[in-house]
Amino acid sequence: MSVLFVSGIDTDIGKTYATGLLAKALMQQGVNVMTQKLVQTGISKQANGELGIADDILSHRKLMKIPLQPCDLDFTTCPYRYEKPASPHLSAALANQPLDIQMITEATKALQADYGMVLLEGAGGLLVPITTELLTLDYIAEQDYPIVLVTSGRLGSINHTLLSLEAIKSRGLTVHSIIYNHIHDDAEQTDAEITNSTIDFLQAYLAHHYPKAHWLQLPYIEIASTDTISSDCCLSLPKDFI
């Protein structure tokens, strides 16, 4: 289990915060861990006209409280970066820069050679098309990566979570963990009764159908950017997490 794939039930569910803080928690347990981004879209061009380091990688390092690493600077942690904020298959087509999935696989293997664990964050949900021929979950199934699924308490999350779990099961993959992200627990966005009911339902569902899966909770973080996150904010991991 040297690679964990971090996905979410939808876009903007908090995968990046979960990935960065999970990496930080693993570091605190003495794990030599690095994060990787499958593909990043929506990157602004720099002054020289080139696309820089993936935004999510920058966020990971800030959350981990470490500087950018050599593997970030040479883009091993995110080989494919596109300007258009869209599904990877469309962003790649518009940029006329086809994505070679083997290059991502080789990047992951290079990181595995230097780190004890790699957290590979996806783009969007599990069935997002990486190319016109390959869905994200198809690729993860080929690699047989265990999955960390990020969910929340916003209305519709139960349905989206169960659909994601069914998709994972259909590929014969392992649900390693569910991270319940309280990112949407702002009183103006989320009904407390729905949030509490969602937690109760999902915990009971996992206990019955996925008893070996870990249940983690990412506390609500009131932030303007990753720079404002408190240094003591992290995930609490069980001893048998890895």
Side-chain angles (χ1 to χ4, degrees):
M1 194 187 65
S2 62
V3 179
L4 285 176
F5 184 76
V6 183
S7 189
I9 63 169
D10 203 348
T11 190
D12 293 329
I13 203 68
K15 293 189 305 298
T16 299
Y17 293 112
T19 302
L21 291 175
L22 177 55
K24 178 184 175 184
L26 289 167
M27 288 171 59
Q28 292 173 338
Q29 289 191 349
V31 178
N32 185 21
V33 60
M34 184 47 57
T35 65
Q36 180 184 2
K37 180 73 177 179
L38 185 70
V39 53
Q40 179 93 65
T41 65
I43 298 181
S44 300
K45 287 186 177 179
Q46 302 179 103
N48 62 5
E50 299 295 325
L51 296 177
I53 295 171
D55 296 341
D56 288 354
I57 293 297
L58 295 173
S59 294
H60 292 168
R61 301 298 165 261
K62 291 177 181 178
L63 291 163
M64 295 165 72
K65 305 297 180 183
I66 63 173
L68 289 171
Q69 303 296 296
C71 55
D72 300 321
L73 301 176
D74 67 9
F75 303 114
T76 301
T77 49
C78 189
Y80 286 103
R81 303 162 321 284
Y82 299 105
E83 186 175 13
K84 178 71 174 181
S87 178
H89 79 290
L90 175 59
S91 297
L94 292 174
N96 196 27
Q97 295 176 352
L99 185 151
D100 180 358
I101 195 64
Q102 187 58 34
M103 185 173 174
I104 295 176
T105 303
E106 293 302 321
T108 303
K109 290 180 179 178
L111 293 173
Q112 286 179 277
D114 294 328
Y115 295 91
M117 177 169 286
V118 177
L119 302 180
L120 176 57
E121 181 190 344
L126 287 166
L127 297 185
V128 165
I130 304 173
T131 70
T132 54
E133 294 83 25
L134 187 69
L135 301 178
T136 298
L137 194 56
D138 294 330
Y139 175 66
I140 301 311
E142 289 177 4
Q143 303 303 318
D144 197 28
Y145 294 148
I147 295 175
V148 176
L149 184 67
V150 182
T151 186
S152 78
R154 66 189 183 192
L155 186 62
S157 288
I158 291 177
N159 176 70
H160 285 42
T161 303
L162 300 191
L163 285 173
S164 296
L165 292 173
E166 286 294 317
I168 294 169
K169 183 168 66 174
S170 74
R171 301 301 202 281
L173 294 169
T174 299
V175 179
H176 180 276
S177 306
I178 299 291
I179 297 181
Y180 182 92
N181 190 356
H182 288 268
I183 191 171
H184 299 292
D185 286 6
D186 187 294
E188 296 181 359
Q189 298 184 37
T190 305
D191 186 311
E193 289 182 331
I194 293 175
T195 297
N196 294 332
S197 175
T198 298
I199 291 173
D200 291 342
F201 181 89
L202 291 179
Q203 284 185 310
Y205 188 89
L206 288 173
H208 185 262
H209 296 281
Y210 300 89
K212 293 183 179 181
H214 298 286
W215 172 268
L216 308 175
Q217 294 199 55
L218 182 62
Y220 174 70
I221 308 170
E222 188 172 351
I223 54 172
S225 72
T226 48
D227 293 319
T228 67
I229 294 179
S230 170
S231 60
D232 60 359
C233 180
C234 66
L235 283 166
S236 178
L237 304 183
K239 292 181 179 180
D240 61 345
F241 185 80
I242 57 174

